[in-house]
Amino acid sequence: MSGENGLNFIQQIKELSHSSKIIILTMYEDYEYFKEAINKGASGFVLKKSMDSDLLYAIKKVNSGEVFAESQFISEMISNNDSKNISIEKQLWDKLSDREKEVMVDFARGFTNREIAFKYYISEKTVSTYKTRALEKLNIENKSDFIKLALKIGILKN
């Protein structure tokens, strides 16, 4: 954008079309830039160095109403204690279905797939599918990172 900062246009675009979904495609690997984009209303944040398939995945996620960000930014957001980030993390949590939330809370509390399946009258395979989808939506790769997020936004208590 020859000399212009794309972040300056997010609010204008949102005002012109409330239903517009904005994905930032950038070369800047800066966490503060990412935070500013999300806080201004962007629904996605993709680095130009990413694979084409990552951009297509981001478009699909954002088009379905989800938020997408490169995993490095999600990891930094989770480990950062900046209270402004809680709303972003909470926003990601709110994208999960009710059943995904229930399964993830039980998962964080240490229940096995079998125990969760029994509790909700679903198969263990279905539990695994819910967990996989939830972790994808949250841009988290493992249980430890999920527990950090859950504690930070108050889903689990210390």
Side-chain angles (χ1 to χ4, degrees):
M1 298 189 74
S2 63
E4 289 292 329
N5 179 339
L7 298 182
N8 296 334
F9 297 103
I10 295 173
Q11 190 170 1
Q12 292 173 12
I13 293 168
K14 292 297 238 177
E15 287 173 4
L16 290 171
S17 174
H18 299 293
S19 62
S20 291
K21 296 172 181 155
I22 300 168
I23 298 174
I24 301 297
L25 180 61
T26 183
M27 64 182 183
Y28 299 114
E29 294 185 51
D30 180 59
Y31 178 69
E32 293 302 317
Y33 189 77
F34 158 74
K35 263 191 353 184
E36 185 178 353
I38 298 298
N39 287 334
K40 286 187 174 189
S43 297
F45 195 88
V46 180
L47 297 173
K48 287 184 178 179
K49 74 176 190 176
S50 299
M51 297 177 16
D52 294 344
S53 59
D54 292 339
L55 179 58
L56 289 173
Y57 184 69
I59 291 169
K60 288 177 185 176
K61 297 280 267 185
V62 168
N63 191 47
S64 70
E66 298 177 42
V67 175
F68 178 87
E70 301 276 349
S71 60
Q72 72 190 62
F73 296 109
I74 298 299
S75 297
E76 191 164 346
M77 180 177 63
I78 290 168
S79 64
N80 189 330
N81 289 326
D82 183 356
S83 62
K84 291 179 185 175
N85 294 332
I86 293 175
S87 63
I88 297 169
E89 294 161 335
K90 183 75 169 108
Q91 189 177 31
L92 289 172
W93 174 255
D94 290 341
K95 297 293 180 183
L96 272 59
S97 70
D98 290 340
R99 180 65 71 177
E100 287 168 338
K101 290 176 184 176
E102 292 169 340
V103 167
M104 293 307 291
V105 168
D106 287 342
F107 172 58
R109 289 182 174 148
F111 289 91
T112 66
N113 283 4
R114 176 172 282 170
E115 291 168 329
I116 296 169
F118 182 77
K119 180 177 181 179
Y120 298 110
Y121 304 103
I122 55 179
S123 73
E124 289 181 56
K125 174 84 171 121
T126 301
V127 170
S128 180
T129 299
Y130 281 130
K131 285 173 22 182
T132 300
R133 286 185 191 160
L135 291 173
E136 278 181 17
K137 288 178 183 180
L138 295 168
N139 291 315
I140 293 176
E141 295 180 14
N142 57 51
K143 182 177 182 177
S144 174
D145 287 341
F146 174 71
I147 291 171
K148 288 177 193 173
L149 178 133
L151 288 168
K152 188 168 186 178
I153 63 175
I155 298 162
L156 296 175
K157 304 296 179 205
N158 282 331

